[in-house]
Amino acid sequence: MPTALITGITGQDGSYLAEFLLAKGYRVVGVVRRSSTTPYERIAHLIDRIELVSADLLDQTSLTDAVFETEPDEIYNLAAQSFVQTSWSQPVLTGEFTALGVTRMLEAMKKAAPKSRFYQASSSEMFGKVVEVPQRESTPFYPRSPYGVAKVYGHWITLNYRESFGLYATSGILFNHESPRRGLEFVTRKVTDSAARIKLGISKELRLGNVEARRDWGFAGDYVDAMWRMLQQDEPDDYVVATGETWSVRQLCEFAFEAVDLDYRDYLKHDKRYDRPAEVDLLVGDPGKAKEKLGWEPTVRFRELVSMMVTEDLARHSAAK
């Protein structure tokens, strides 16, 4: 039974990855921070099938101890301060978690489990002000937020440890991936949740920033499959994981409100508080390498994903009424 250690197991990707690996017969260990509360709702249905170990991306000793104690075959570093908007108000904290946290995890692996395989969650936000369309593994980075800058650091330090110390360390450059488990602060979930609330008479409007921004949106459940496939290759490498399609936030609103038989234009309001200081206008990935080398392709299309999220939000709010 192989052992997988997952940082960020309580997040969207971590919960889907834990499910995926359990189905493949893994022993799954999740890294969690000590807290006075236990925000485990995304993994509540898995809690009796996984192990949890206490450690913190800000504390080197705890990470090294966690790796040493669990002896993982695979390490998935998914933990980060992952909300772009927050990175503007908390840039130093974002750098500590999202950039230096990667270095601490690599150091822990190097010292305690150098034969294990390491996955780093890189991001399409590293491309930022894109210099070519679509974006592929060779596209130069041009991050446009503290989050994007921190992710570039994490990406390059992973490559550096791979080349410097011979570690099996790979990065997945994942484009936007969503699900009903996405946090409410993210635009996709904000839109689907608002559509459900407005349909049920709980809310009356949806406030957003730039609705013309375009993203390549896929399903998180598909993307964790790509993460696993990267660590099954003979040699470590980096891969773009994307659908190859791009949609605007406006289209996201259109599809979400169509799912509840409403017209988004009757409820959408622009709120400049949600405008970014530096906007990323267009992201669309080229998943050709992942398809060729990993045999990976997305299974859930964008409209289906939006409908899935709206349905879940409707059910949740209906049950709470």
Side-chain angles (χ1 to χ4, degrees), residues 260-271:
V260 291
D261 299 316
L262 296 175
D263 188 333
Y264 78 94
R265 292 172 293 187
D266 295 333
Y267 308 97
L268 179 63
K269 308 291 183 186
H270 178 259
D271 191 328

Side-chain angles (χ1 to χ4, degrees), residues 160-182:
N160 184 262
Y161 269 63
R162 181 168 80 211
E163 294 181 347
S164 300
F165 304 113
L167 300 181
Y168 191 111
T170 184
S171 288
I173 307 174
L174 271 57
F175 280 65
N176 296 67
H177 46 288
E178 316 299 320
S179 77
R181 300 179 193 174
R182 188 53 129 167

Side-chain angles (χ1 to χ4, degrees), residues 47-101:
I47 208 71
D48 294 331
R49 302 170 60 199
I50 62 176
E51 301 171 38
L52 298 177
V53 60
S54 180
D56 196 310
L57 283 184
L58 301 186
D59 182 65
Q60 182 68 66
T61 300
S62 67
L63 295 175
T64 304
D65 288 347
V67 174
F68 180 78
E69 292 166 10
T70 56
E71 299 181 321
D73 299 285
E74 298 171 3
I75 300 171
Y76 296 87
N77 186 43
L78 310 184
Q81 190 301 99
S82 59
F83 189 40
V84 174
Q85 194 72 29
T86 296
S87 78
W88 291 106
S89 58
Q90 298 182 346
V92 175
L93 183 69
T94 299
E96 287 286 353
F97 277 112
T98 309
L100 291 178

Side-chain angles (χ1 to χ4, degrees), residues 27-277:
R27 170 192 173 219
V28 175
V29 183
V31 174
V32 293
R33 303 175 68 196
R34 288 199 181 277
S35 172
S36 58
T37 59
T38 54
Y40 297 163
E41 64 268 16
R42 293 187 182 96
I43 57 170
H45 61 299
L46 305 174
I47 208 71
D48 294 331
R49 302 170 60 199
I50 62 176
E51 301 171 38
L52 298 177
V53 60
S54 180
D56 196 310
L57 283 184
L58 301 186
D59 182 65
Q60 182 68 66
T61 300
S62 67
L63 295 175
T64 304
D65 288 347
V67 174
F68 180 78
E69 292 166 10
T70 56
E71 299 181 321
D73 299 285
E74 298 171 3
I75 300 171
Y76 296 87
N77 186 43
L78 310 184
Q81 190 301 99
S82 59
F83 189 40
V84 174
Q85 194 72 29
T86 296
S87 78
W88 291 106
S89 58
Q90 298 182 346
V92 175
L93 183 69
T94 299
E96 287 286 353
F97 277 112
T98 309
L100 291 178
V102 185
T103 311
R104 296 186 187 104
M105 279 305 304
L106 287 164
E107 273 293 299
M109 173 185 171
K110 180 165 71 78
K111 292 177 179 177
K115 299 300 183 183
S116 63
R117 298 188 169 197
F118 182 90
Y119 170 84
Q120 165 59 16
S122 289
S123 168
S124 60
E125 287 287 332
M126 301 188 305
F127 295 122
K129 188 176 180 179
V130 299
V131 298
E132 68 174 346
V133 178
Q135 294 86 58
R136 48 184 62 88
E137 292 81 6
S138 59
T139 302
F141 300 137
Y142 196 147
R144 296 270 281 173
S145 67
Y147 171 79
V149 172
K151 279 293 185 182
V152 169
Y153 176 96
H155 181 85
W156 282 116
I157 200 66
T158 301
L159 176 63
N160 184 262
Y161 269 63
R162 181 168 80 211
E163 294 181 347
S164 300
F165 304 113
L167 300 181
Y168 191 111
T170 184
S171 288
I173 307 174
L174 271 57
F175 280 65
N176 296 67
H177 46 288
E178 316 299 320
S179 77
R181 300 179 193 174
R182 188 53 129 167
L184 287 167
E185 69 272 21
F186 289 86
V187 68
T188 46
R189 186 71 191 290
K190 182 177 181 180
V191 169
T192 63
D193 184 70
S194 292
R197 289 168 59 86
I198 290 170
K199 180 65 176 180
L200 295 171
I202 302 171
S203 183
K204 294 182 178 180
E205 64 181 18
L206 167 62
R207 290 185 170 271
L208 295 174
N210 177 19
V211 295
E212 306 308 330
R214 302 180 68 86
R215 294 291 184 273
D216 184 326
W217 277 301
F219 173 50
D222 285 341
Y223 285 35
V224 298
D225 180 9
M227 299 176 189
W228 175 78
R229 290 177 186 238
M230 290 179 208
L231 297 195
Q232 311 316 307
Q233 305 305 302
D234 291 337
E235 299 294 333
D237 204 350
D238 304 325
Y239 299 87
V240 162
V241 179
T243 69
E245 299 178 346
T246 186
W247 305 87
S248 69
V249 176
R250 185 180 296 280
Q251 288 173 302
L252 163 66
C253 295
E254 179 185 348
F255 298 158
F257 280 77
E258 277 182 0
V260 291
D261 299 316
L262 296 175
D263 188 333
Y264 78 94
R265 292 172 293 187
D266 295 333
Y267 308 97
L268 179 63
K269 308 291 183 186
H270 178 259
D271 191 328
K272 62 182 181 180
R273 291 179 301 169
Y274 300 117
D275 290 336
R276 293 184 180 184

